[in-house]
Amino acid sequence: VLIFELPLSLFTCKTLTKLRIAHGNPTSLVWECPCPVNLPCLKTLDIAVRDNPFVNAFELIRGCPALESLSLEVTIHKEEDYVFNIPTLKRLKLTLQRVWTSVTQKVVLNVPNLEYLFVGGMLGSLFVMEDLSSLVEASVSFHCIRSDHMCLEFLKGISGVKSLSIEKFEFTSAPPIFPNMNHLEFKSFWYSGLVLQYLESCPELKHLCIEKVLLQLVYNFGNFSVCEGFEPEIEFLKYMLGNAKILKT
């Protein structure tokens, strides 16, 4: 594995506002954080860390007191909690990869000013939402590799959102109540029973978008086209026609 060190001056730059550290081949190239970090003006950080995340990624994050946007792709190696205690953060994109021999215990989010959250990759950790009081929009694109319990706890933690996008989500249990949700989007799958459960869980829903990527079909609230007569489609139509009290067309 080729390990390279970035210049020391990069980690103490007083005027840097945006930093992105990426690499191509994840099996042959990693980077290390070589010194204490002090980036007082950094607001946007986009990094991928596949080795020693507690020494590299979190050391870097701790040295950014003004951070507002964080995109982090991290490979989980150890049975340790991943704690995000970032009061200034407004946007978080978190992609979790996993070494198959171990899995982290918890991902703790204490981000009181966070407005947007994306979680992708493999859900092998229990999310603990300590403070997501400002969260408005969330996007989910992961495979649950343990149990529906983890998925359900994650959804409960973001149940206050107004907008939710779900992609590649392996979840079969009934979702929690989303009292504030007015926009819901499904991508890359079509499970009518699950969709109907979400509809029952969103009393304030105004916009629903269902995208079936493989067949290149998009169903929008009020516009359901290219119906091929499959059972899930018929179930969905029955539900909509039976409950759309003000339907005109």
Side-chain angles (χ1 to χ4, degrees):
V1 177
L2 176 62
I3 299 177
F4 70 94
E5 289 188 355
L6 298 168
L8 299 181
S9 59
L10 177 66
F11 297 95
T12 56
C13 180
K14 298 297 188 294
T15 58
L16 188 66
T17 61
K18 185 175 182 179
L19 175 62
R20 182 173 186 265
I21 305 176
H23 47 72
N25 189 342
T27 62
S28 63
L29 192 62
V30 296
W31 61 272
E32 287 188 348
C33 188
C35 67
V37 179
N38 182 20
L39 298 170
C41 293
L42 194 76
K43 292 187 176 182
T44 302
L45 179 60
D46 184 351
I47 54 174
V49 178
R50 293 184 173 90
D51 189 51
N52 295 328
F54 290 97
V55 176
N56 294 323
F58 290 95
E59 182 71 22
L60 185 54
I61 292 168
R62 281 191 292 269
C64 306
L67 194 62
E68 295 182 358
S69 178
L70 171 62
S71 178
L72 172 62
E73 179 181 340
V74 62
T75 298
I76 296 168
H77 291 271
K78 299 179 181 180
E79 294 279 350
E80 297 183 61
D81 295 345
Y82 282 42
V83 180
F84 295 86
N85 186 3
I86 313 174
T88 58
L89 201 64
K90 295 181 179 179
R91 295 180 62 86
L92 173 60
K93 181 179 180 181
L94 182 60
T95 304
L96 300 172
Q97 305 300 337
R98 179 176 180 266
V99 175
W100 291 100
T101 56
S102 72
V103 63
T104 191
Q105 293 176 338
K106 295 178 183 178
V107 175
V108 181
L109 298 182
N110 186 5
V111 279
N113 288 299
L114 195 72
E115 298 173 357
Y116 172 79
L117 172 65
F118 169 88
V119 178
M122 294 183 178
L123 181 64
S125 309
L126 182 64
F127 273 73
V128 178
M129 314 300 196
E130 290 190 347
D131 192 344
L132 285 178
S133 53
S134 299
L135 190 66
V136 175
E137 182 180 357
S139 183
V140 179
S141 177
F142 54 53
H143 299 283
C144 183
I145 57 177
R146 282 197 147 184
S147 68
D148 272 10
H149 172 69
M150 282 187 175
C151 298
L152 183 59
E153 290 302 309
F154 176 84
L155 291 175
K156 285 181 179 178
I158 62 170
S159 60
V161 296
K162 293 183 178 180
S163 177
L164 177 62
S165 175
I166 299 177
E167 181 178 4
K168 301 176 183 177
F169 195 53
E170 299 174 1
F171 181 61
T172 58
S173 299
I177 300 296
F178 294 89
N180 304 318
M181 181 119 69
N182 55 46
H183 182 97
L184 177 60
E185 182 175 353
F186 291 97
K187 295 182 178 180
S188 301
F189 72 97
W190 173 247
Y191 303 129
S192 64
L194 182 59
V195 172
L196 299 184
Q197 288 179 342
Y198 271 89
L199 290 177
E200 297 286 355
S201 301
C202 306
E204 299 298 322
L205 190 65
K206 296 180 180 179
H207 304 281
L208 172 67
C209 180
I210 303 173
E211 180 179 347
K212 189 160 57 171
V213 174
L214 295 178
L215 298 181
Q216 297 182 343
L217 305 180
V218 178
Y219 306 132
N220 295 306
F221 232 19
N223 184 4
F224 185 94
S225 59
V226 202
C227 177
E228 298 178 352
F230 294 114
E231 183 176 352
E233 296 175 326
I234 299 302
E235 290 179 0
F236 180 72
L237 283 174
K238 285 180 179 179
Y239 181 90
M240 296 304 298
L241 293 174
N243 291 277
K245 297 180 181 180
I246 59 173
L247 185 67
K248 293 182 179 180
T249 304

